[in-house]
Amino acid sequence: MMKKSQKLGGLLLAGLIAGQPALADRLDDILQRGSVRVGTTGDYRPFSERDAASGAYRGLDIEMAESLARALGVKLELVATSWPTLMRDHEAGKFDIAMSGVSINLERQKRALYSQPYLNDGKTPITRCENVQRFQTIAQINQPRVKLIVNPGGTNEKFARARLPAAALTVHPDNVTIFRQIIDGKADLMVTDAVETRYQQRLHPELCAVHPEKPFDFSQKAYLLPNDWRWKAWVDQWLSQSLQNGEFAGLSAKWLGK
């Protein structure tokens, strides 16, 4: 016969369990809602670019977001975010996933999950082509006379403040027009992701990426996710299939070049 104390303990445990709210399941929420909310900055070519006139988005991660929605069988809802507000918007639940050329960052990962990586990268300079030899090393850049420019709130600013504290740093609020500042001589260089330097030198013949094949550090691109392991597992499986079946390779060639 069950002892009275054991029976009481079991009833209390059952009551506690019954009183707990059901754990959130992001995948079920998305399927029931009929849309997936994708956070994106719209200021990071070639991953996410927003046209100021039409409001339309384009880029590698925008097309990957479209693929994600198709695989889920739901509508795509793009949600505007920014690098300074990315984690705040994530924690406020404004989107289900962030897809915008997001770099894996251990500080961010204390508060979120990432998908498996889809691109290896690292920080390297971009400058006017006549200045390439001036900015080959950290030591050459980390000088008070060097005018360094960054966009706010992301890994570029974090790298500049940690590795280049002696340079004359300007934080430029618009990541779309920031490269014009270098072309016009208002800044000497920017240190950003190697993939971005390659893309920007294609757009602006005045600019040259500095040793993008040998960046100053190593990083990876992935998709930022809430702390929901079932949703992460689904995204990882979708991304793995895209990487293996050639879909990502085709989009990468389109947006990043060879």
Side-chain angles (χ1 to χ4, degrees), residues 31-50:
L31 296 176
Q32 291 172 13
R33 188 192 314 135
S35 67
V36 59
R37 300 169 303 167
V38 175
T40 196
T41 63
D43 68 348
Y44 186 13
R45 298 172 177 175
F47 296 97
S48 171
E49 177 187 4
R50 183 176 183 271

Side-chain angles (χ1 to χ4, degrees), residues 10-86:
L11 289 171
L12 287 171
L13 179 60
L16 286 170
I17 292 172
Q20 292 295 315
L23 292 175
D25 188 303
R26 188 63 61 110
L27 181 56
D28 282 348
D29 286 348
I30 291 166
L31 296 176
Q32 291 172 13
R33 188 192 314 135
S35 67
V36 59
R37 300 169 303 167
V38 175
T40 196
T41 63
D43 68 348
Y44 186 13
R45 298 172 177 175
F47 296 97
S48 171
E49 177 187 4
R50 183 176 183 271
D51 182 74
S54 67
Y57 289 85
R58 62 195 295 269
L60 171 59
D61 275 344
I62 302 304
E63 294 203 38
M64 286 297 287
E66 292 168 352
S67 169
L68 175 72
R70 285 195 300 271
L72 286 162
V74 300
K75 295 179 180 179
L76 173 62
E77 181 182 348
L78 294 173
V79 178
T81 186
S82 68
W83 299 111
T85 65
L86 177 66

